[in-house]
Amino acid sequence: AGPLHPSLQPGPSSACADTTLLGATCGGGATQLLRLKSSLLTAEHRVVSCAFLQLGGLGAGLCDIGSAEAAQEALLTVQRAAAAFKVALLRTIVDDKGVRCLLAGGVPGFAAEDDAWRAVSLCAACAEELHASGLRVSSGLTTGRMFCAYAGSELRAEYTLHGKVVN
């Protein structure tokens, strides 16, 4: 993989220091949210801007991954972009629909007046960077009011979004 697009370069205080295969995740979205387990994470309705990314070209079929290293590099690119644009990477899913990521601006720790712009910018930067790597990227964006809550236990938990604009 070549050098990162300038907009994806992590800053000196970035959570993206570990970029080794199977290294700690960066982008910090879900991890940072889970660290905030306080009144910030009470169940509530919020206006959130969601970005949906589907990554293609990682293997022969839609849900195939031919190289763990290539998949790791693609996900690190998404995580770096999430950190650069201050958008939470909430979920990465690999199933019969392929490799998909759910990202959100407007959730605790990632809320600002320009949530929608940051989500659009994130999708554009990821598409540019991943296309340069030979991957296909499909993206979808939505902004609206949805139910947000911390769900799970100390052993396994996630910050989840529910509503017409995200489901």
Side-chain angles (χ1 to χ4, degrees), residues 148-164:
C148 306
Y150 170 77
S153 68
E154 291 291 324
L155 296 176
R156 185 170 191 280
E158 67 180 3
Y159 189 74
T160 189
L161 310 174
H162 183 73
K164 288 182 180 181

Side-chain angles (χ1 to χ4, degrees), residues 3-165:
L4 287 174
H5 186 275
S7 68
L8 300 183
Q9 292 294 336
S13 64
S14 171
C16 295
D18 185 359
T19 58
T20 61
L21 183 65
L22 301 176
T25 61
C26 63
T31 305
Q32 182 174 339
L33 285 167
L34 292 175
R35 279 192 214 124
L36 290 173
K37 289 190 292 183
S38 67
S39 60
L40 288 177
L41 291 179
T42 58
E44 62 184 340
H45 285 90
R46 300 178 69 95
V47 174
V48 177
S49 293
C50 293
F52 304 89
L53 294 175
Q54 182 174 34
L55 311 179
L58 290 168
L62 185 62
C63 58
D64 294 335
I65 296 178
S67 160
E69 290 83 4
Q72 177 75 6
E73 190 56 41
L75 291 174
L76 283 170
T77 298
V78 173
Q79 291 170 332
R80 288 183 195 113
F85 291 102
K86 296 178 177 55
V87 175
L89 174 56
L90 298 180
R91 199 168 295 128
T92 300
I93 304 162
V94 180
D95 62 12
D96 62 326
K97 297 176 187 169
V99 179
R100 298 171 290 135
C101 299
L102 169 63
L103 301 104
V107 297
F110 297 88
E113 290 182 16
D114 62 346
D115 291 330
W117 177 88
R118 289 183 292 116
V120 169
S121 299
L122 167 114
C123 288
C126 283
E128 181 180 341
E129 186 76 17
L130 294 169
H131 284 150
S133 301
L135 300 178
R136 295 182 310 277
V137 179
S138 299
S139 59
L141 296 158
T142 184
T143 297
R145 192 166 180 79
M146 61 191 75
F147 180 75
C148 306
Y150 170 77
S153 68
E154 291 291 324
L155 296 176
R156 185 170 191 280
E158 67 180 3
Y159 189 74
T160 189
L161 310 174
H162 183 73
K164 288 182 180 181
V165 295

